[in-house]
Amino acid sequence: MEVDAVPSVHTLPIRQHTTATILCCNCGAPIDGTASAGALCYDCVKLTVDISQGIQREATLHTCRDCDRWLSPPNQWLIAAPESRELLALCLRKLRGLNKVRIIDASFIWTEPHSRRIKVKISIQQEAFQGTIIQQTFEVEYVVAFSQCPDCAKSYTAHTWRACVQVRQKVPHKRTFLYLEQLILKHSAHKDTVNIKEVHDGIDFFFSQRNHAEKFVEFLTSVAPVRTKKSQELISVDIHTSSKSYKFTFSVELVPICKDDLVALPLKIARQIGNISPLTICHRVGTSVNLMDPNTLQTADLSTAVFWRSPFAPIADVQELVEFIVMDIEPTGTQNGRWVLAEATVARASDLGVNDTTYFTRTHLGGILHPGDSVMGYHLTGTNFNNSEFEAIASNRKLADAIPDVILIKKFYERKKKNKPRNWRVKRMPKQESEMLPRKQDQDRMERDFEMFLRDVEEDQELRNTMALYKAEQRARAEQMGADQAGDEASEMDEDEGEDGGEGLRIPMDQLLDEFDEMRMDDDDQG
C-alpha cells in the first residue's frame, strides 16, 4: 500500500500595518499623523494652548466685619468659616468663565491672616483639539474688602426695627426675668435681635423682620406661661404700587406668680384643677404653674388658659419670708417625689431669747430639715392680707380651720462669707439701659435680686438642669482656692459649721461647661 505524500504548507506573509508618522511642526518629534491635533505633539500642545484663557486671575470678596458674613451677589450674605467649603464655593462662583471648563480640584493656599488676601489653586480640564484633553493648574488671588451688611447697618441706626416684642411681668422683683434670660441664652433665641433694651418692668426685644419676632414669641410660649397680643402701626404707603410698610409690636405678659410664692386660689379654680386645697405654694413655673399643698403634698398644674380666664395675684412673695428655727421635726411617712411630709415645731429667729412662742405646722421639707436648722417661711398668724381670695377662704368655716400658723418654704443656708467667689458663672445678654440712669435704690434692688437668683440656682438641682452654667475664670478659681486654704487653716470646727451653713453648696465641676474667650461677663461680680 502506497502512502500518500504529505502536501507542503506555505504560510502567507503577514502584512504589517504601518501608521502614518509625521513630525511635529514645532519641535520635530515623530507623532501619529492620524491622531495628531494641528500637527503638534502633546508637549507642544500644553505649551502653546492655554485653556484657562478668559478666566480672571484676581477678584474681590466683600465681608462684614461686625457679623463675619460674606456677600454672595447680588444681595445675599452667607456665613462661612475661613478655608471652609462654603467659602471655597463662594470663591469659585465669583470667577467669570469658569463655567466653560471642567473643574478637577480646588484648594486654598495659606496666606497671612492680616494680609487680607485669599489664594485658591484651581485645576481644570478641557478638550483643546479633537481627542486631545488638557489639564492645567493656576492660582487666583482674592482681595478681602470690608463692607457692612444691611442687618448690621440697621442695628447701628436708631428706629430701624420692624418688629418689637415687649416682655412684661407685674412683680416687684426680677428673678423670673433672670431665669428667662438663661433659657434664651441656652437656646440662642435672641440671635436675630438687632437691639435689646431693659425697661422698668420688663425687657424689649427689637427685630428687623416680622417672622423673627413671631419665632421668638413662639419660643416664649413654649417655655413660660404667657399671653400675647399683637398690634401694628402703619409707617408709609406707596400710592403708585399700593404697598404699605408696617411696624409690629407683640405684647407678652408673664403670669405674675413666681417660684416660692404663696397663692390663694379661687375656690372654683381649686375644685377645677383636682380639688386641691385653696391655700398652696408655687414650687415651679414651667409652661404651667405647678402648685403644691404643703399639708398633704398634693400637687396640681394651673394651665395658662385657666389662669388668664380669671387672673389673680399671689398673696405673698419671697420678699415677705421670715426666718424660723426648727425646734423639732418628725416625718409622717408620706412622700411625693423628693418631698417628704413631716410635722415640725418652729420658732421665729427674732423671738429666740425674747419669748417662748412656738408654732406647730406640717411641711414638705421633712427630707432636708433637722432640729436646729434655719428655714424660711410665711408667718400667717397676725398677718392681714388684702386679698379677696384669702378672705373667701377665711370666711369658709371648713377651710378656715385648715389655715396653718406658719407655711415653710425652703431651707436657709447661711453664707458666712458674703463676697466669697463661686466656682461657676452664668452668661448675661448685652442689654441697652434706658436713657435715664437707674437710681441707687434700684441698682441695689437689682443686685439683691441677682444674688437671690444665684442662691436659688445653688440650692435647686431641678433649676440647674434647665440652665447652662460655665466654669469660672482662672483668676476667680485661684481666689477661691486661696479662700478655701485660709478657711481650712482657721479651724476644723468652723469648716464643719460652714458645710452645714451653706459653704458646702458647691456645684460639681462635671455640671459646668467650659468658658470660651468670646464669652465675657460684663461685671466681675456676676456669678
Side-chain angles (χ1 to χ4, degrees):
M1 183 175 179
E2 296 182 358
V3 180
D4 295 338
V6 179
S8 61
V9 179
H10 301 282
T11 59
L12 297 176
I14 299 176
R15 181 177 298 178
Q16 296 181 355
H17 296 280
T18 59
T19 59
T21 302
I22 62 175
L23 299 178
C24 176
C25 65
N26 193 10
C27 63
I31 57 176
D32 187 3
T34 61
S36 63
L40 294 173
C41 63
Y42 184 71
D43 294 335
C44 293
V45 170
K46 291 194 298 181
L47 293 175
T48 57
V49 178
D50 186 12
I51 62 175
S52 63
Q53 186 178 6
I55 302 176
Q56 58 186 125
R57 296 293 198 275
E58 294 181 355
T60 304
L61 294 176
H62 294 274
T63 180
C64 179
R65 68 172 67 198
D66 296 320
C67 60
D68 293 333
R69 293 190 298 176
W70 299 83
L71 175 62
S72 179
N75 55 5
Q76 186 179 6
W77 291 84
L78 305 177
I79 300 177
E83 297 190 5
S84 61
R85 298 179 59 184
E86 294 80 6
L87 184 58
L88 183 60
L90 177 62
C91 293
L92 296 179
R93 287 196 300 266
K94 290 284 291 184
L95 297 181
R96 293 190 301 268
L98 200 59
N99 56 349
K100 299 179 182 179
V101 296
R102 180 184 179 185
I103 302 176
I104 300 301
D105 186 25
S107 60
F108 287 99
I109 301 176
W110 185 86
T111 56
E112 288 287 345
H114 62 273
S115 63
R116 294 171 54 184
R117 297 292 187 274
I118 297 177
K119 291 185 178 181
V120 179
K121 183 174 68 174
I122 305 174
S123 299
I124 60 175
Q125 276 186 358
Q126 189 181 24
E127 186 177 10
F129 299 99
Q130 185 177 3
T132 304
I133 298 178
I134 299 178
Q135 178 174 331
Q136 289 184 356
T137 302
F138 60 96
E139 297 180 3
V140 180
E141 182 177 346
Y142 297 87
V143 179
V144 179
F146 292 118
S147 180
Q148 194 175 41
C149 64
D151 296 337
C152 293
K154 287 183 179 180
S155 64
Y156 285 100
T157 307
H159 309 295
T160 56
W161 53 272
R162 186 56 57 90
C164 175
V165 179
Q166 300 175 347
V167 185
R168 299 290 187 269
Q169 187 184 31
K170 298 177 181 179
V171 292
H173 55 81
K174 293 279 188 178
R175 293 169 57 226
T176 304
F177 284 103
L178 293 172
Y179 175 64
L180 184 62
E181 179 183 3
Q182 299 304 316
L183 294 179
I184 293 173
L185 289 171
K186 182 178 180 180
H187 298 86
S188 300
H190 67 301
K191 61 181 180 179
D192 296 324
T193 58
V194 297
N195 191 15
I196 302 175
K197 187 176 181 180
E198 187 173 5
V199 294
H200 176 66
D201 55 350
I203 305 176
D204 292 343
F205 298 87
F206 299 93
F207 299 87
S208 59
Q209 297 182 18
R210 173 186 174 184
N211 56 346
H212 292 165
E214 293 177 346
K215 182 180 178 181
F216 185 75
V217 172
E218 292 178 359
F219 169 77
L220 295 179
T221 307
S222 64
V223 298
V226 299
R227 69 173 176 179
T228 61
K229 294 181 181 179
K230 175 186 174 183
S231 63
Q232 60 185 17
E233 179 184 0
L234 181 63
I235 302 301
S236 61
V237 180
D238 189 351
I239 60 175
H240 302 287
T241 60
S242 298
S243 60
K244 302 178 182 179
S245 177
Y246 290 93
K247 276 190 174 182
F248 302 91
T249 303
F250 298 86
S251 175
V252 179
E253 184 177 358
L254 295 170
V255 169
I257 300 177
C258 304
K259 183 176 177 292
D260 299 334
D261 284 356
L262 182 61
V263 180
L265 294 172
L267 300 181
K268 181 179 179 181
I269 295 181
R271 290 190 295 266
Q272 182 180 353
I273 62 176
N275 199 20
I276 192 173
S277 173
L279 193 61
T280 60
I281 60 175
C282 175
H283 68 91
R284 194 175 72 91
V285 177
T287 54
S288 60
V289 180
N290 303 128
L291 304 173
M292 181 182 61
D293 181 13
N295 293 321
T296 60
L297 299 186
Q298 181 183 358
T299 59
D301 292 343
L302 181 62
S303 63
T304 307
V306 174
F307 176 83
W308 290 115
R309 197 175 300 131
S310 55
F312 55 91
I315 61 176
D317 55 21
V318 292
Q319 297 180 352
E320 303 175 26
L321 290 174
V322 181
E323 183 180 357
F324 293 89
I325 304 298
V326 180
M327 311 302 293
D328 187 20
I329 186 168
E330 182 179 356
T332 61
T334 305
Q335 186 173 357
N336 184 5
R338 60 172 179 162
W339 310 119
V340 177
L341 187 63
E343 296 178 349
T345 302
V346 298
R348 285 198 308 179
S350 59
D351 292 343
L352 294 180
V354 178
N355 54 53
D356 298 334
T357 305
T358 58
Y359 304 95
F360 177 80
T361 183
R362 306 185 76 181
T363 178
H364 60 289
L365 304 175
I368 59 176
L369 289 182
H370 304 88
D373 289 346
S374 297
V375 61
M376 305 299 292
Y378 295 107
H379 191 198
L380 304 184
T381 302
T383 304
N384 295 324
F385 296 103
N386 187 14
N387 186 277
S388 59
E389 285 79 12
F390 184 79
E391 293 176 358
I393 297 174
S395 61
N396 191 314
R397 181 178 303 176
K398 181 179 179 180
L399 297 177
D401 296 337
I403 298 178
D405 297 332
V406 174
I407 295 182
L408 303 181
I409 300 299
K410 60 181 179 179
K411 184 177 180 180
F412 176 70
Y413 298 91
E414 182 181 359
R415 272 78 171 178
K416 293 183 179 298
K417 300 177 182 179
K418 296 183 179 180
N419 297 327
K420 183 177 180 180
R422 295 179 171 90
N423 65 332
W424 55 277
R425 288 176 179 265
V426 293
K427 194 176 180 181
R428 302 299 303 273
M429 285 190 306
K431 296 184 290 289
Q432 177 186 355
E433 297 182 354
S434 58
E435 297 179 357
M436 297 182 61
L437 294 177
R439 297 176 299 177
K440 186 178 184 301
Q441 53 266 33
D442 294 338
Q443 293 180 355
D444 296 340
R445 179 177 57 84
M446 289 187 292
E447 293 177 359
R448 185 170 58 252
D449 293 342
F450 187 72
E451 177 64 24
M452 188 179 299
F453 170 73
L454 295 180
R455 293 188 178 186
D456 290 341
V457 174
E458 287 179 337
E459 300 169 4
D460 195 343
Q461 175 68 27
E462 294 183 357
L463 185 64
R464 292 201 301 266
N465 294 336
T466 60
M467 298 169 48
L469 304 180
Y470 297 88
K471 297 178 182 178
E473 297 178 354
Q474 297 291 338
R475 177 177 55 82
R477 286 199 291 268
E479 295 177 356
Q480 176 72 22
M481 293 176 60
D484 293 342
Q485 293 177 359
D488 293 341
E489 295 175 356
S491 67
E492 183 179 356
M493 183 181 299
D494 185 46
E495 180 182 357
D496 295 336
E497 292 178 356
E499 291 180 358
D500 296 337
E503 297 292 338
L505 287 177
R506 294 178 58 86
I507 300 178
M509 296 299 292
D510 55 355
Q511 299 182 8
L512 303 179
L513 303 176
D514 292 330
E515 183 180 8
F516 297 100
D517 293 337
E518 61 268 19
M519 196 201 78
R520 293 302 181 195
M521 299 299 164
D522 296 337
D523 298 325
D524 293 334
D525 57 348
Q526 294 177 357

